[in-house]
């Protein structure tokens, strides 16, 4: 493809997805149990550098982040860059937007490319639930801080004397929302009940996810998207041999205290996972200079948030509002999308989002439309599986989805022609959601 | 890398078995002199004069057809003089009687050769077209070289270049071959006669970086010999595409980043492997010049107990994939600028080996394949050759039982195992522009292993 001419100042140009690399996702406590966020992000970057021959290259900017982040991990991304084969003159910064982190880094870097501020960039994300930061009690923390400030032996002793044995127990890390003290699963259980999503429908989504991801691995689809790490060569959570029967046999884990039937199990909810992902972005000129085939164009993005604390919307429902705004701005309908990637935080997250869009009432009352927003064919939805099968290392999920869908868009354009389009929708803690449109380059 | 504990054990075992400790071989290092001392060039006539001029000519100026190497050269052995290398130019022989003068002169210097000395002969190939006396003299040279190799000590090697009729001693592959055999790059090449078939090829602009501007694909590059080949080709100036199966991706990443190349995770048995290799090389690096077929597997079993799965897996990876990839490259029209194919065979492919019928079939197959592929490449200056390693210290051979391994190390005239880099150096030479006249040959890197010799 001929590179586009440099755009006039102020006129956006194309931001391209050129490729990606992630490490296989591993179950918490598995092979990456002793790998830090920095280790994993560096590994994902190193694989990207090797695949695209970027050794010693100064990339315009690298942005990544982690959700569960140690206090020592300030400048996590910059440290990963320094530990990689990229030029040490590559700038980097950290982002934290819960599970949307990996997609937010992509959106913000793409915009810089569109504006001509960057020629190349790497977005990414990493999370370890195995190597999660341990939080100490507030009483212990205050005593230790006072101790560090103490100047006389008497002050030091006084600070130490305040510590009680019970203060020494670590505070368990929690996925609970700070304002509701409910875990994400319990929040989604409320939404699941609200939208009356059945157990069977959720298990079907989970089964399709495993089957489709397994097929993608078998066909070699991930050969140029994933680099093994620490002996993990395939996503650790993947269960190619699971079945509706096996899924149906699992006991519910969330929503067991509600009046509605508890339907969410370990099988139709994403497990805690460790992993890292990266996406290589660039301008047309930079891609041509490096002999890289553009896979997809980052067209547009829209963030959303819901008032899950006081309002009627579920914690993970923000994309249900963001996507209609995004498509309206682009003059598109759901039917115009060839691929739809909805992050499977839980099977019922996908199903409640689809149900909201299919509801004429929701369309009229909440989206301000004439009727239902629309529906998504299942054969366009998460075609290579998603988080239920691959696992969900929070900040790494966006990069996994984007690289996968960008490759699929490119393959479809090569095969069928035209300009296939994809929607990416990621819900996040805090009632957040981030959505984006990509099209084949 | 030598583990101190196993190294000590090996030394003890070696002592118990009555073996003398092997002399450490000198390997190539940056800024090393080509030959560390005086070179004795024996023989008379224009060819010997041309070789002497090449070796002694000023390194920076043009002498004859190529720049000289700036070495100190003697034409006659001086009494009590120690030489670093002896080059016997025997291309003019017409009768076995004429072996006397140059070879006995060489013999008088052998005891004084320094550690890691070199004996290299240049002679003509004996064919049925020769007069009987001429053929006798020429064939006799080969056997003398092999004998000198068997008698040599202290890491000294003896090898010969065997020129086809009409190939001048100044041909690129003769000059390049001589330089390779004199240098430490050929540390584990011993007792070999390397044929030079034509005057094709080109001398490199820079002997230290002969592969500058060339793009090389190395399969099985994640570890062992493949990783060493990738590093050596990159050292010689090539841009390297490191290929290995997706499950070896982590190690492959390390190799690709170390050589500043690109990693291509690919199962070479995939039907479209050749197309994908070519597409990657052309898109990323603009060309493809060298393909090193190193990837290989073993599924050892006594032939009587061999299963279909074991047989088929080895055939698929070790030879069928190479044939399919070569065909894709040869029919692409994009592999025509003096391309090089170098395939890794094995002494097992020459001699067979107990429990390795499938492996032997493929490694023998490689020897046949390169011989038949070379003519297909000749029209555009291309070559196909093989390297047949003997016992090499790798992760694979480290798993052998200790006694078996120690015995295997001793079964060659250098009385030690080679290193992956020794194989890589031979591959780098056969990949180079100066090796353009070596067509369809198999070069053993085995320390003159008794197996299959």
């Amino acid at each position: 493809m001929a590179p586009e001419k440099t755009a006039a100042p102020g006129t956006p140009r194309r931001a391209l997805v050129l490729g990606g690399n992630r490490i296989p996702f591993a179950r918490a406590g598995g092979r990456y149990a002793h790998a830090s966020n920095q280790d994993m992000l560096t590994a994902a970057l190193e694989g990207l550098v090797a695949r695209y021959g970027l050794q010693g290259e100064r990339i315009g900017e690298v942005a990544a982040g982690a959700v569960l982040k140690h206090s020592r991990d300030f400048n996590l991304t910059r440290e990963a860059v320094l530990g990689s084969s990229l030029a040490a003159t590559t700038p980097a910064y950290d982002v934290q937007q819960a599970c949307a982190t990996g997609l937010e880094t992509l959106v913000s870097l793409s915009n810089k490319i569109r504006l001509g501020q960057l020629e190349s960039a790497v977005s990414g994300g990493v999370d370890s639930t195995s190597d999660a930061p341990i939080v100490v009690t507030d009483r212990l923390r205050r005593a230790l801080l006072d101790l560090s400030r103490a100047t006389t032996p008497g002050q030091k002793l006084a600070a130490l004397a305040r510590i009680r044995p019970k203060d020494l127990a670590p505070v368990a890390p929690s996925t609970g929302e700070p304002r509701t003290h409910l875990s994400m699963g319990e929040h989604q259980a409320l939404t699941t009940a609200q939208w009356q999503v059945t157990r069977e429908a959720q298990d079907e989504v989970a089964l399709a996810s495993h089957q489709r991801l397994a097929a993608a691995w078998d066909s070699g689809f991930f050969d140029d998207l994933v680099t093994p790490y620490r002996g993990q060569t395939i996503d650790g959570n993947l269960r190619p041999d699971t079945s509706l029967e096996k899924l149906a046999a699992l006991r519910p884990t969330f929503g067991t205290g509600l009046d509605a039937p508890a339907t969410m199990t370990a099988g139709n909810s994403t497990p805690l996972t460790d992993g890292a992902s990266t996406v290589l972005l660039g301008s047309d000129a930079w891609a041509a200079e490096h002999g890289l085939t553009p896979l997809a164009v980052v067209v547009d993005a829209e963030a959303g948030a819901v008032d899950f604390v006081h309002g009627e919307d579920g914690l993970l429902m923000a994309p249900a509002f963001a996507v209609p705004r995004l498509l309206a701005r682009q003059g598109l309908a759901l039917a115009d999308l060839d691929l739809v990637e909805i992050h499977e935080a839980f099977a019922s997250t996908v199903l409640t989002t689809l149900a909201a869009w299919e509801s004429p009432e929701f369309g009229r009352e909440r989206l301000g439309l004439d009727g239902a927003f629309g529906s998504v064919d299942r054969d366009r939805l998460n075609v290579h599986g998603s988080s239920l099968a691959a696992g969900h290392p929070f900040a790494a999920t966006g990069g996994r989805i984007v690289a996968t869908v960008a490759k699929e868009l490119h393959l479809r354009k090569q095969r069928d022609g035209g300009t296939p389009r994809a929607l990416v929708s990621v819900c996040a803690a805090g009632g957040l959601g981030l959505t984006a449109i990509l099209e084949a380059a | 890398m030598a583990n101190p504990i196993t190294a000590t054990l090996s030394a003890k075992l070696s002592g118990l078995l009555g073996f003398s400790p092997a002399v450490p071989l000198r390997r190539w290092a940056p800024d090393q002199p080509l030959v560390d001392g005086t070179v004795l060039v024996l023989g008379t006539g224009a060819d010997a004069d041309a070789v002497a001029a090449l070796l002694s000519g000023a390194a920076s100026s043009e002498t004859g057809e190529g720049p000289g190497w700036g070495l100190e050269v003697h034409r006659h052995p001086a009494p009590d003089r120690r030489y670093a290398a002896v080059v016997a130019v025997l291309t003019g022989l017409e009768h076995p009687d004429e072996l006397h003068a140059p070879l006995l002169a060489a013999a008088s210097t052998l005891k004084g050769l320094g550690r890691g000395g070199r004996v290299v002969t240049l002679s003509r190939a004996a064919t049925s077209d020769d007069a009987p006396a001429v053929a006798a003299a020429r064939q006799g040279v080969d056997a003398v070289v092999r004998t000198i190799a068997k008698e040599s000590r202290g890491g000294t090697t003896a090898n010969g270049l065997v020129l086809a009729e009409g190939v001048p001693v100044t041909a690129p592959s003769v000059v390049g071959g001589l330089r390779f055999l004199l240098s430490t790059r050929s540390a584990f090449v011993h007792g070999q006669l390397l044929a030079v078939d034509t005057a094709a090829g080109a001398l490199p602009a820079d002997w230290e970086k002969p592969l500058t501007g060339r793009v090389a694909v190395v399969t099985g590059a994640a570890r062992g010999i493949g990783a060493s080949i990738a590093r050596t080709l990159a050292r010689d100036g090539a841009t390297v595409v490191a290929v290995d199966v997706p499950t070896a991706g982590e190690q492959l990443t390390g190799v690709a980043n170390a050589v500043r190349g690109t990693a291509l995770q690919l199962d070479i048995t995939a039907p479209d492997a050749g197309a994908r290799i070519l597409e990657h090389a052309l898109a990323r690096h603009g060309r493809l010049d060298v393909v090193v077929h190193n990837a290989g597997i073993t599924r050892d079993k006594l032939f009587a107990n061999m299963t279909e799965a074991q047989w088929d897996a080895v055939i698929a990876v070790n030879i069928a994939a190479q044939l399919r990839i070569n065909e894709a490259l040869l029919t692409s029209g994009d592999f025509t600028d003096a391309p090089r194919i170098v395939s890794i065979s094995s002494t097992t492919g020459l001699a067979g080996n107990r429990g390795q019928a499938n492996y032997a079939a493929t490694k023998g197959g490689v020897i046949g394949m390169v011989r038949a592929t070379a003519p297909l490449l000749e029209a555009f200056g291309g070559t196909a050759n093989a390297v047949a390693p003997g016992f090499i210290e790798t992760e694979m051979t480290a798993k052998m039982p200790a006694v078996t391994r120690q015995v295997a190390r001793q079964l060659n005239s250098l009385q030690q195992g080679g290193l992956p880099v020794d194989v890589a150096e031979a591959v780098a030479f056969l990949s180079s522009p100066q090796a353009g006249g070596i067509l369809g040959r198999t070069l053993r890197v085995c320390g003159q292993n008794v197996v299959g010799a």
Side-chain angles (χ1 to χ4, degrees), chain A residues 46-47 49-57 85 222-224 226-231 233 290-293, chain B residues 246-250 252-254 256-267 276 279-280 283-285:
Chain A
E46 278 295 83
V49 169
R51 184 163 298 140
Y52 297 102
L54 303 174
Q55 304 87 6
E57 184 102 13
S85 303
F222 290 114
D223 284 1
D224 58 1
V226 181
T227 303
Y229 181 56
R230 296 199 178 201
T233 58
H290 290 74
L292 300 178
T293 307
Chain B
T247 51
E250 185 173 8
L252 190 68
T253 286
N257 285 342
V259 305
R260 297 172 82 96
T262 52
L264 176 60
Q265 296 187 167
L266 174 72
D267 180 348
R276 284 167 67 185
E279 184 189 357
H280 179 105
R284 302 289 187 76
H285 309 295

Side-chain angles (χ1 to χ4, degrees), chain A residues 173-186:
Chain A
S174 143
T175 52
E177 286 293 324
R179 286 170 193 281
T180 61
H181 303 295
L182 287 181
S183 73
M184 236 177 268
E186 290 301 330

Side-chain angles (χ1 to χ4, degrees), chain A residues 101-114:
Chain A
T101 301
L103 188 57
E104 178 55 47
T105 57
L106 178 106
V107 170
S108 51
L109 290 172
S110 299
N111 287 342
K112 290 189 182 189
I113 290 172
R114 281 151 61 87

Side-chain angles (χ1 to χ4, degrees), chain A residues 3-9 11-13 115-116 119 283-285:
Chain A
E4 284 190 347
K5 288 209 175 79
T6 306
T11 310
R13 53 180 190 169
L115 284 175
E119 293 300 322
S283 64
D284 273 286

